[in-house]
């Protein structure tokens, strides 16, 4: 072994049982969520608390061992798995899973990085509060991973990304020092915002060990409607109308093309399609309100009524019970699984200025048809915050292998189109190892140089998650 004594020192620091070196036991931590890549690691190291994390990071500095922080390993850009060298440790935060405090008066919850997102939502609900961060991986992703990727999810329109939900952080720096920043303050202008450096850094600057998060009074009611429309441009008109009429009660606005719902119908036939005929586009709207139900009902009926009258939408259904509302959300949440059942596809997690989304879809769909005739666009996403899942499936009858072999060309076409409209090639998932090269084409030399300067300043030995982001 190249670094004799390192693993024994780790065992002394946190206990033998928590330094995993057996190949079978390591395996679960080495392959990414979508099973596209398997790396190698010296060991999986699982400290129990912040002091133990700091001790391990100090040892890594002493022995020059790279560190790959890992939470739930649900990330989609190969950020949480090590490279093939076998030199790094995977530092799993999963044992840091305590809710440290709930403060309903300050509307904050203080949690450790390895807490599963769903458990934090439940702890907030027990205090009659809402943690609005919500995503399909919430049963297995951790808040440390959510913060490190600045995760989005379904409620960004109203509450913002994870960054907006975080008031304070506790971090173990790349040198193994503990940065105590667990402040539950909404105003604190005392110099550079170090917290914001670590959020979204994908584990390349330090290790988040705990956070203070904002929580909110729970809404009394949540109402959902599904509107059927002709075009994405109509969806934008509906968004504008709904924002004007509903203000902050509008908490969800999801676009789905008809092909998305056709795939859901094919692979999940038990989920009822609520219209008698098909339409080119659909929008799922959600209102969350602190008033009794009739208030939100009136608002939603008024929006849909106006949209029908102005011929923005052709048909609509309003959920009149939680069960009906769940059924509508299930259609939206089943799209990814339906597309996976249909076969391999090429995914793009992109964002655009909301005002340019219809133009982007029209232009990029046409370009794709020109270069890859009959490819199938499965376009859906959080339209209310400008985030599209712009996924491309092979034409019917074309083998997945033939199509996937052209992935680089398709990515290039889509990303260039995004860039030409001032968008981002990674809205939610980060860069990880997957988009590290690709981003060089789209970020300016000045931006990249500043990012590298920050990386050198905070992690001069380049031990934190090497090969990711910068
Ligand atoms: C079904 C499904 C749906 C998803 N939906 C969404 C969605 O709607 N929106 C969205 O934004 N993402 C989504 N994701 C992506 C993923 O769930 C998120 O990126 C999530 O925030 C990752 O959390 P995790 O604990 O699994 O982190 P991991 O995958 O373990 O790690 C992600 C990154 O963060 C780093 N990291 C993890 N913990 C720490 C820490 N404590 N300190 C420093 N660095 C750390 C890792 O090194 C890695 O770079 C989805 C994924 C799946 C599988």
């Amino acid at each position: 072994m190249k670094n004799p004594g390192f693993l024994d020192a780790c065992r002394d620091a946190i206990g033998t049982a928590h330094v995993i070196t057996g190949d079978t036991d390591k395996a679960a931590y080495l392959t990414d969520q979508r099973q596209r890549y398997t790396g190698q690691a010296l060991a999986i190291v699982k400290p129990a608390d912040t002091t133990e994390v700091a001790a391990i990071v100090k040892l890594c500095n002493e022995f020059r061992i790279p560190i790959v922080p890992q939470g739930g390993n649900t990330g989609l850009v190969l950020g949480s798995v090590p490279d093939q060298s076998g030199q790094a440790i995977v530092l799993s935060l999963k044992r840091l899973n305590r809710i440290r405090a709930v403060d309903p008066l300050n509307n904050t919850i203080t949690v450790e990085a390895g807490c599963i997102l769903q458990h934090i939502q439940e702890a907030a609900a027990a205090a009659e509060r809402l943690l609005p961060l919500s995503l399909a991986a919430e049963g297995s992703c951790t808040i440390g991973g959510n913060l490190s990727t600045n995760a989005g999810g379904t409620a960004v329109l109203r509450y913002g990304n994870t960054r907006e939900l975080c008031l304070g952080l506790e971090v173990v720096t790349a040198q193994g020092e503990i940065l105590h920043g667990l402040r539950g303050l909404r105003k604190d202008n005392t110099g550079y915002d170090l917290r914001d450096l670590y959020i979204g850094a994908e584990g390349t600057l330090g290790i988040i060990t705990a956070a203070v998060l904002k929580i909110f009074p729970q809404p009394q009611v949540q109402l959902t409607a599904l509107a059927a429309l002709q075009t994405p441009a109509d969806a934008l008109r509906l968004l504008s109308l709904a924002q004007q009429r509903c203000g902050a009660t509008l908490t969800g606005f999801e676009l789905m093309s008809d092909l998305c719902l056709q795939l859901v119908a094919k692979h999940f036939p038990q989920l009822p399609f609520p219209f008698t005929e098909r339409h080119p586009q659909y929008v799922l709207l959600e209102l969350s309100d602190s008033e009794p139900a009739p208030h939100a009902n009136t608002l939603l009926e008024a929006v849909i009524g106006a949209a029908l009258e102005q011929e923005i939408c052709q048909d609509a259904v309003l959920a009149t019970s939680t069960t009906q509302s769940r059924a509508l959300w299930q259609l939206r949440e089943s799209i990814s699984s339906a597309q996976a059942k249909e076969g391999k596809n090429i995914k793009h997690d992109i964002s655009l200025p909301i005002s340019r989304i219809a133009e982007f879809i029209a232009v990029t769909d046409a370009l794709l048809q020109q270069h890859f005739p009959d490819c199938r666009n499965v376009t859906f996403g959080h339209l209310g915050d400008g985030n599209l899942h712009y996924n491309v499936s092979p034409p019917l009858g074309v083998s997945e292998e033939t199509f996937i072999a052209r992935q680089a060309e398709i990515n290039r076409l889509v990303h260039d189109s995004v860039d030409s409209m001032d968008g981002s090639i990674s809205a939610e998932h980060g860069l990880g190892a997957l988009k590290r090269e690709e981003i060089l084409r789209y970020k300016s030399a000045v931006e990249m140089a500043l990012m590298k300067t920050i990386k050198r300043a905070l992690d001069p030995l380049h031990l934190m998650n090497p090969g990711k982001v910068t």
Side-chain angles (χ1 to χ4, degrees):
M1 178 185 156
K2 212 175 135 202
N3 296 292
F6 171 71
L7 290 177
D8 281 341
C10 289
R11 290 182 185 109
D12 287 348
I14 67 167
T16 304
H18 306 301
V19 180
I20 299 166
T21 51
D23 286 343
T24 318
D25 294 335
K26 282 197 292 187
Y29 300 84
L30 300 178
T31 298
D32 80 294
Q33 161 75 27
R34 290 203 179 127
Q35 317 239 314
R36 288 163 297 183
Y37 179 87
T38 300
Q40 303 295 326
L42 198 56
I44 314 301
V45 181
K46 301 181 77 175
D49 56 29
T50 305
T51 314
E52 288 193 359
V53 173
I56 294 295
V57 175
K58 282 206 161 112
L59 286 172
C60 289
N61 272 254
E62 187 183 327
F63 288 87
R64 302 290 196 265
I65 303 288
I67 303 165
V68 180
Q70 191 181 90
N73 196 18
T74 68
L76 299 174
V77 290
L78 310 183
S80 52
V81 284
D83 64 16
Q84 297 287 340
S85 69
Q87 301 290 314
I89 59 161
V90 170
L91 196 147
S92 168
L93 278 302
K94 279 202 156 172
R95 291 178 67 220
L96 278 77
N97 59 5
R98 285 158 287 253
I99 307 280
R100 290 197 191 162
V102 184
D103 184 346
L105 255 191
N106 195 39
N107 278 313
T108 50
I109 186 165
T110 306
V111 296
E112 293 188 344
C115 287
I116 300 289
L117 175 57
Q118 193 178 330
H119 297 168
I120 307 176
Q121 293 166 347
E122 287 163 2
E128 297 183 354
R129 291 292 182 272
L130 170 78
L131 177 78
L133 181 62
S134 173
L135 41 137
E138 64 198 19
S140 45
C141 64
T142 64
I143 192 66
N146 303 147
L147 286 157
S148 298
T149 56
N150 185 25
T154 50
V156 174
L157 171 63
R158 164 72 176 84
Y159 298 99
N161 292 300
T162 310
R163 185 186 301 282
E164 279 84 54
L165 297 174
C166 178
L167 293 177
L169 280 188
E170 178 187 87
V171 172
V172 169
T173 69
Q175 292 74 35
E177 305 297 333
I178 300 174
L179 171 64
H180 296 282
L182 287 179
R183 297 183 198 96
L185 303 177
R186 286 164 177 84
K187 289 190 170 179
D188 177 18
N189 289 340
T190 51
Y192 300 145
D193 198 330
L194 300 174
R195 173 198 58 191
D196 270 348
L197 276 182
Y198 291 99
I199 297 174
E202 300 182 54
T204 61
L205 299 180
I207 297 167
I208 295 172
T209 50
V212 184
L213 305 172
K214 287 186 207 166
I215 49 181
F216 298 81
Q218 278 183 325
Q220 272 199 52
V221 286
Q222 287 191 299
L223 279 187
T224 312
L226 188 69
L229 316 95
Q230 289 295 323
T231 63
D234 288 336
L236 290 179
R237 290 169 65 207
L238 181 59
L239 175 64
S240 184
L241 183 70
Q243 282 176 324
Q244 211 170 10
R245 301 261 176 135
C246 307
T249 56
L250 182 69
T251 47
F253 197 94
E254 302 282 316
L255 177 74
M256 306 170 266
S257 72
D258 189 45
L259 181 53
C260 298
L261 293 195
Q262 281 182 33
L263 291 177
V264 171
K266 178 173 169 190
H267 296 288
F268 299 100
Q270 72 279 17
L271 297 180
F273 178 70
F275 297 109
T276 46
E277 54 184 272
R278 306 213 70 94
H279 301 265
Q281 304 288 336
Y282 306 90
V283 163
L284 184 70
L285 300 95
E286 183 183 74
L287 300 194
S288 305
D289 198 6
S290 52
E291 302 283 331
H295 180 251
N297 234 326
T298 309
L299 276 178
L300 198 51
E301 279 174 6
V303 169
I304 296 296
L308 287 166
E309 203 177 302
Q310 294 170 33
E311 296 180 2
I312 293 173
C313 75
Q314 277 64 57
D315 203 352
V317 288
L318 269 65
T320 52
S321 66
T322 313
T323 315
Q324 279 182 11
S325 176
R326 272 304 323 138
L328 293 182
W329 269 108
Q330 257 186 313
L331 291 173
R332 162 66 182 87
E333 285 164 1
S334 304
I335 297 172
S336 289
S337 312
Q339 208 186 3
K341 282 177 186 275
E342 182 74 1
K344 287 193 176 140
N345 59 82
I346 300 173
K347 296 186 191 306
H348 305 98
D349 158 44
I350 57 173
S351 71
L352 292 139
I354 294 168
S355 49
R356 300 199 74 175
I357 282 190
E359 178 193 1
F360 168 82
I361 295 175
V363 168
T364 317
D365 281 6
L367 277 171
L368 279 171
Q369 286 308 320
Q370 194 184 330
H371 292 89
F372 310 94
D374 300 326
C375 67
R376 289 175 296 158
N377 289 98
V378 182
T379 306
F380 60 103
H382 317 300
L383 188 71
D385 54 61
N387 177 197
L388 284 185
H389 300 295
Y390 189 81
N391 299 344
V392 191
S393 284
L396 290 169
V398 170
S399 81
E400 286 173 358
E401 288 66 32
T402 312
F403 189 67
I404 298 293
R406 302 192 68 185
Q407 170 150 10
E409 292 169 70
I410 293 179
N411 287 348
R412 177 55 47 88
L413 185 153
V414 172
H415 290 163
D416 279 359
S417 184
V418 168
D419 187 54
S420 74
M421 296 188 203
D422 299 323
S424 165
I425 67 161
S426 186
E428 290 199 306
H429 301 155
L431 297 176
L434 200 65
K435 294 185 182 166
R436 186 186 175 217
E437 297 296 326
E438 187 75 350
I439 197 64
L440 298 175
R441 184 173 169 88
Y442 303 107
K443 270 212 194 288
S444 72
V446 174
E447 272 179 297
M448 288 312 299
L450 284 172
M451 283 188 12
K452 282 181 194 295
T453 305
I454 291 168
K455 170 75 175 167
R456 269 196 306 275
L458 296 192
D459 178 24
L461 296 180
H462 208 77
L463 295 181
M464 291 304 312
N465 216 357
K468 318 287 165 58
V469 183
T470 50

